[in-house]
Amino acid sequence: MSFSSIPILDLSKAWSPLTKPSFLDSLRHALLEVGFLYIKNTGISDGLIEDVIKQGKAFFDLPEEKKLEVQMKNAPSFLGYNKLGNEVTASKTDWREQIDLSTPHALPTSSDPLYYNLLAPNQWPDPTFLPSFRSTLESYIRQMSTLSTTFTSLVAEAINLPPAAFDRFFDADQQHKVKIVKYPDVASLPEDQRSQQQGVGPHKDSMLTSYLLQASHHPGLQAQNLAGEWIDCPPIPGTLVVAIGQGLEALTHGVCASTTHRVLSPLAGEGPRFSIPFFQGVSYDATFESVDVPEAILKMKGEIVRKRQGERRDDVEFTFRKGMWAHLGEATLVNRVRSHPDVGERWYPEILARVRETERKKANGEEEVTEKEPENAVAGTGGNTDNWRSLEERIRAAV
């Protein structure tokens, strides 16, 4: 039976011995059968939430030239501002503008793997114009980092694992990310794009878990159930929407479902929709090993699959398969290039060329052909030749 609504869980019930068992039962149902849920009573203060929304909206009110000072293609890290229409999902343009921020890191060295380019300092907007932006977002990232780690320990308990079962997949200075996103209503879009309403196309989140703060009253977020139907996830005050990522599905042998979702642009006259998703990171050096899920949980998942006779209609392919990549960072880097071709053109032209060629061949029904490694593969990338070549070989086999 496919889900027809998104469950709402009260996180405060996880802290009482009297209510924790029923909470874990509800969480197990959400993990095994839905892959999407709301949580309330998260412990993040209303005041901080209000400040984050205020600062996020203020960023988009900056003059265009101030936003472009921190545009994403300035650096190979995929952190920074993305103009309207610059991102691609499911081979179609996403009609949103956004700024991506993360837990800060120093710049990688020339001996680091190429995917360490994803670890870098943030590009912060001019404090003369937004004096409280940085401090507010840094506070939010810190608190959401704690919340996500706590929630992941509850996920472990819900599938009968020790609370620390996933800890080995995190770095000591683990990178987490936050986006601040503005979806203009369709009246603001090019006329030939208005009927598609693609704020962001169908996709699955990477990593382990993500937490969406719906920062305006607009609907538009939808999750795809196993019958292929789109289920609305309207804003509910005081909640975050949790999406299970492909990383968690891979680590749990498919027990925890990563659910395809999308965002529809607001209708004409409704004004812009704002959202602020937080993405819990996993070590980019992770090697796709998995946890030992107890047999009882595997049987439970198997029974769920049996009852629906194995049927699963899904608009998005699961890409985090064991054997496809040596490290999570490689898969993540290629996915970033695919989504942000303007950054790819500047910093990763060889990866982008391979992605485009593979997509062209798939569209034409052609088989992929292995080609000779380019001699200047690392030019301008910041990675060394051996790291690049091992990555490029896997791109050929897996993109």
Side-chain angles (χ1 to χ4, degrees):
M1 188 71 178
S2 203
F3 66 87
S4 58
S5 62
I6 309 301
I8 304 172
L9 274 64
D10 184 346
L11 196 56
S12 67
K13 292 185 177 180
W15 315 133
S16 167
L18 297 177
T19 54
K20 186 173 183 178
S22 64
F23 173 86
L24 292 178
D25 286 344
S26 297
L27 179 56
R28 186 180 306 112
H29 164 78
L31 294 170
L32 272 61
E33 301 197 43
V34 185
F36 235 66
L37 62 147
Y38 294 90
I39 54 173
K40 63 181 181 180
N41 294 321
T42 63
I44 307 296
S45 73
D46 292 342
L48 179 57
I49 294 292
E50 291 170 2
D51 287 345
V52 168
I53 294 173
K54 178 181 177 181
Q55 293 297 320
K57 290 181 177 180
F59 173 79
F60 296 110
D61 291 333
L62 289 175
E64 184 71 7
E65 63 270 18
K66 300 307 294 184
K67 290 187 286 187
L68 292 178
E69 286 178 358
V70 295
Q71 64 181 326
M72 188 177 286
K73 68 179 182 181
N74 289 347
S77 61
F78 296 90
L79 299 173
Y81 170 67
N82 229 15
K83 296 192 297 183
L84 181 68
N86 259 26
E87 189 170 1
V88 175
T89 303
S91 301
K92 294 182 180 179
T93 300
D94 293 332
W95 294 104
R96 60 178 180 173
E97 58 176 317
Q98 64 190 37
I99 183 169
D100 285 52
L101 305 165
S102 83
T103 310
H105 287 77
L107 289 170
T109 68
S110 60
S111 62
D112 286 326
L114 186 66
Y115 55 80
Y116 273 31
N117 282 347
L118 300 170
L119 302 170
N122 285 305
Q123 297 192 73
W124 293 106
D126 188 341
T128 305
F129 287 76
L130 292 176
S132 299
F133 184 90
R134 178 170 180 170
S135 60
T136 299
L137 269 297
E138 286 182 332
S139 178
Y140 187 67
I141 290 172
R142 283 194 301 271
Q143 293 195 34
M144 287 301 302
S145 298
T146 300
L147 172 62
S148 65
T149 302
T150 300
F151 188 80
T152 303
S153 73
L154 294 170
V155 168
E157 291 187 82
I159 58 173
N160 295 355
L161 292 173
F166 297 109
D167 287 2
R168 71 180 188 269
F169 300 107
F170 300 119
D171 294 325
D173 57 347
Q174 181 58 54
Q175 184 193 55
H176 305 291
K177 293 185 67 177
V178 67
K179 291 178 183 278
I180 306 171
V181 189
K182 177 183 178 181
Y183 300 93
D185 71 28
V186 295
S188 305
L189 305 183
E191 190 170 348
D192 62 345
Q193 297 293 322
R194 294 175 186 176
S195 62
Q196 294 191 36
Q197 260 192 288
Q198 178 161 307
V200 59
H203 66 285
K204 299 176 187 290
D205 289 345
S206 303
M207 307 307 179
L208 293 194
T209 56
S210 55
Y211 304 78
L212 176 65
L213 170 59
Q214 301 195 75
S216 59
H217 66 279
H218 303 80
L221 176 64
Q222 296 180 323
Q224 190 175 40
N225 68 16
L226 299 176
E229 302 163 332
W230 290 103
I231 307 302
D232 289 327
C233 309
I236 299 177
T239 68
L240 299 171
V241 178
V242 180
I244 302 307
Q246 295 191 72
L248 188 56
E249 181 167 345
L251 294 179
T252 61
H253 306 274
V255 165
C256 298
S258 58
T259 296
T260 297
H261 50 287
R262 68 181 183 184
V263 175
L264 301 179
S265 300
L267 297 175
E270 291 184 347
R273 178 183 185 273
F274 295 91
S275 68
I276 305 172
F278 174 91
F279 301 93
Q280 180 186 33
V282 182
S283 173
Y284 290 133
D285 293 324
T287 57
F288 293 96
E289 60 181 304
S290 54
V291 295
D292 294 323
V293 178
E295 188 65 25
I297 298 295
L298 292 174
K299 287 182 177 179
M300 190 180 301
K301 181 69 173 186
E303 181 64 16
I304 292 168
V305 173
R306 187 192 66 78
K307 285 182 178 179
R308 66 169 189 266
Q309 298 179 323
E311 180 183 2
R312 179 172 180 173
R313 292 185 57 193
D314 199 333
D315 286 358
V316 176
E317 180 183 6
F318 182 79
T319 59
F320 280 32
R321 294 190 180 95
K322 187 175 182 179
M324 183 177 285
W325 307 101
H327 297 95
L328 178 67
E330 296 168 353
T332 303
L333 177 59
V334 172
N335 283 340
R336 295 278 193 275
V337 171
R338 181 184 287 112
S339 295
H340 300 280
D342 60 326
V343 182
E345 286 175 352
R346 180 166 185 179
W347 298 101
Y348 306 100
E350 289 85 3
I351 294 181
L352 181 62
R354 172 56 56 186
V355 167
R356 286 174 169 170
E357 177 66 5
T358 303
E359 289 178 346
R360 183 192 69 79
K361 289 184 176 182
K362 284 183 179 179
N364 293 335
E366 302 174 31
E367 291 186 4
E368 179 63 284
V369 178
T370 301
E371 298 174 1
K372 184 180 178 181
E373 176 66 34
E375 294 295 327
N376 60 345
V378 301
T381 65
N384 67 44
T385 304
D386 291 338
N387 289 328
W388 175 274
R389 285 177 177 163
S390 62
L391 172 60
E392 178 68 9
E393 288 166 2
R394 284 184 284 276
I395 293 169
R396 290 195 180 108
V399 172

